[in-house]
């Protein structure tokens, strides 16, 4: 018996692999390495270089490794890129997920955990936003994820399959033991960009919008530590293995921080007063997106351990320093 992790060489996927291995699970990683890194996959996991949309390969892996559960991270995640290339996103995120589900059903895999997103809510009218809020994605990225959620629901209704779809809010931080982190050089995540600015890898960073109806005029987001997120997936897997029914759950802390609060935390942790440019709002940015997070705690018994912003920022900064040392040594 083993767990198949698609996209397991990426940022969130690699932390999931660590969590599974730490729990004693056998892990098979399927990743095409288009954005993931071979070095992010621990030696204890079986890495197969290939595509999650390759139904024949997925069937063969399920058969060979006795896969009983699939945790699906593989996909594209950059919102502006999805606007420029909607068909690419629908193919990579939706069409390939359909192929993966077909492989799971035909091979008798009963448990699937899906990496969804708070982008399915679009610009929520109320915060914190609950799972039953209107689903109005404003980008092809969000729509592609919502379409996969709908496919999961229909598939579970028709076949012997149960699933948990976790709607992530803003993922940040790095493995507390320094084993993995956000390695994509041009990632757009605020905390990574701020850490790179603190280390002089960027000339500074830009803040978009300072006139929102928030305490300091900048957007508010719910930042969740990537290791807490991986633990939520583990809790979801345990829940399904115990016979739990299919669920869609928010994955956040239920409180948010402004952009300027995050920047201040990075400056404090690094001791560097890097340049910050104030710019007008960007189209499509929500003023505030914070999870209503009680359902995941009640359903899965999940309790965050690393929800302190200083902890998230400090570990993200430590990972960036590690990447810098590796680059310098190489």
């Amino acid at each position: 018996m083993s767990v198949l992790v698609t996209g397991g060489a990426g940022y969130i996927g690699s932390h999931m692999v660590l969590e599974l291995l730490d729990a004693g699970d056998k892990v098979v990683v399927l990743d095409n390495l288009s954005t993931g890194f071979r070095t992010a996959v621990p030696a204890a996991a079986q890495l197969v270089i290939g595509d999650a949309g390759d139904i024949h390969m997925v069937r063969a892996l399920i058969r060979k490794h006795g896969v009983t559960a699939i945790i699906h991270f593989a996909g594209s995640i950059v919102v502006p890129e999805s606007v420029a290339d909607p068909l690419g996103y629908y193919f990579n995120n939706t069409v390939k997920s359909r192929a993966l589900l077909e492989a799971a059903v035909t091979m008798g895999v009963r448990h699937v955990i899906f990496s969804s997103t708070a982008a399915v809510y679009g610009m929520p009218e109320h915060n914190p936003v609950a799972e039953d809020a209107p689903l109005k994605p404003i980008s092809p990225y969000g729509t592609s994820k919502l379409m996969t959620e709908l496919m999961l629901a229909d598939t579970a209704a028709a076949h012997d399959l149960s699933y948990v779809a976790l709607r992530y809010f803003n993922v940040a931080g790095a493995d507390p033991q320094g084993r993995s982190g956000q390695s994509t050089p041009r990632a757009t995540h605020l905390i990574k960009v701020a850490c790179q600015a603190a280390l002089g890898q960027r000339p500074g960073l830009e803040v978009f919008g300072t006139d929102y109806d928030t305490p300091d005029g900048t957007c508010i987001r719910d930042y969740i530590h990537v290791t807490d997120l991986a633990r939520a997936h583990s809790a979801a897997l345990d829940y399904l293995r115990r016979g739990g029914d299919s669920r869609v759950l928010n994955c956040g802390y239920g409180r948010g921080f402004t952009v300027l609060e995050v920047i201040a935390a990075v400056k404090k942790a690094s001791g560097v007063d890097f340049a910050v440019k104030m710019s007008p709002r960007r189209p499509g940015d929500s003023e505030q997106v914070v999870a209503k997070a009680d359902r995941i705690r009640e359903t899965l018994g999940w309790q965050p351990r690393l929800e302190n912003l200083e902890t998230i920022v400090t570990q993200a900064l430590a990972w960036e320093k590690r990447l810098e040392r590796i680059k310098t040594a190489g």
Side-chain angles (χ1 to χ4, degrees), residues 3-321:
V3 180
L4 175 63
V5 180
T6 72
Y11 174 40
I12 303 173
S14 64
H15 287 81
M16 185 72 247
V17 172
L18 291 171
E19 179 72 13
L20 289 167
L21 292 174
D22 288 348
D25 282 294
K26 293 182 180 179
V27 181
V28 181
V29 172
L30 178 60
D31 200 300
N32 63 12
L33 301 184
S34 60
T35 56
F37 298 87
R38 187 189 299 266
T39 54
V41 181
Q46 173 74 45
L47 171 62
V48 177
I49 300 173
D51 201 291
D54 185 338
I55 190 168
H56 300 293
M57 174 177 279
V58 174
R59 283 173 175 164
L61 287 178
I62 293 171
R63 183 184 300 111
K64 178 179 179 181
H65 297 281
V67 171
T68 57
I70 296 174
I71 306 180
H72 182 33
F73 296 99
S76 302
I77 63 170
V78 182
V79 171
E81 184 181 74
S82 78
V83 175
D85 182 23
L87 293 178
Y89 268 65
Y90 290 128
F91 179 67
N92 203 36
N93 289 359
T94 310
V95 175
K96 291 184 179 181
S97 293
R98 183 225 164 269
L100 182 73
L101 283 176
E102 181 177 341
V105 168
T106 57
M107 297 302 296
V109 175
R110 296 184 56 208
H111 304 317
V112 174
I113 299 172
F114 175 55
S115 165
S116 193
T117 172
V120 300
Y121 298 117
M123 302 181 74
E125 297 178 7
H126 304 287
N127 277 282
V129 57
E131 289 87 348
D132 56 1
L135 303 176
K136 299 179 180 179
I138 58 174
S139 69
Y141 165 66
T143 305
S144 71
K145 290 288 192 174
L146 178 56
M147 291 169 73
T148 302
E149 284 192 20
L150 295 173
M151 282 195 298
L152 273 165
D154 290 341
T155 303
H159 300 282
D160 185 18
L161 180 143
S162 56
Y163 70 92
V164 173
L166 295 175
R167 292 174 177 164
Y168 308 166
F169 283 65
N170 287 59
V171 187
D175 175 56
Q177 298 179 47
R179 297 172 294 177
S180 190
Q182 172 57 276
S183 298
T184 308
R186 296 182 181 180
T188 57
H189 302 72
L190 172 61
I191 289 178
K192 182 178 179 71
V193 171
C195 288
Q196 289 178 325
L199 295 175
Q201 298 171 4
R202 295 175 183 253
L205 63 78
E206 198 168 0
V207 175
F208 297 97
T210 58
D211 59 347
Y212 289 100
D213 185 18
T214 61
D216 60 26
T218 62
C219 293
I220 293 175
R221 296 292 183 267
D222 189 335
Y223 295 90
I224 179 171
H225 195 293
V226 64
T227 297
D228 274 340
L229 181 60
R231 288 175 179 146
H233 286 73
S234 285
L237 181 59
D238 290 342
Y239 165 82
L240 292 177
R241 285 171 169 170
R242 294 194 306 269
D245 57 357
S246 297
R247 292 296 184 96
V248 177
L249 302 169
N250 283 341
C251 209
Y253 290 146
R255 72 169 189 274
F257 295 95
T258 69
V259 173
L260 292 184
E261 286 174 329
V262 171
I263 291 171
V266 175
K267 286 185 174 183
K268 180 180 179 181
S270 65
V272 178
D273 186 18
F274 51 85
V276 177
K277 178 184 176 182
M278 301 299 180
S279 296
R281 297 184 184 191
R282 292 181 301 193
D285 277 349
S286 298
E287 178 174 282
Q288 182 175 177
V289 184
V290 175
K292 184 170 175 54
D294 52 341
R295 189 174 296 180
I296 188 171
R297 301 183 191 218
E298 294 167 1
T299 304
L300 304 184
W302 173 75
Q303 292 294 331
R305 303 177 191 174
L306 301 165
E307 67 268 39
N308 182 277
L309 180 61
E310 182 180 351
T311 299
I312 294 172
V313 164
T314 299
Q315 291 173 356
L317 185 64
W319 177 255
E320 292 302 321
K321 290 178 178 178

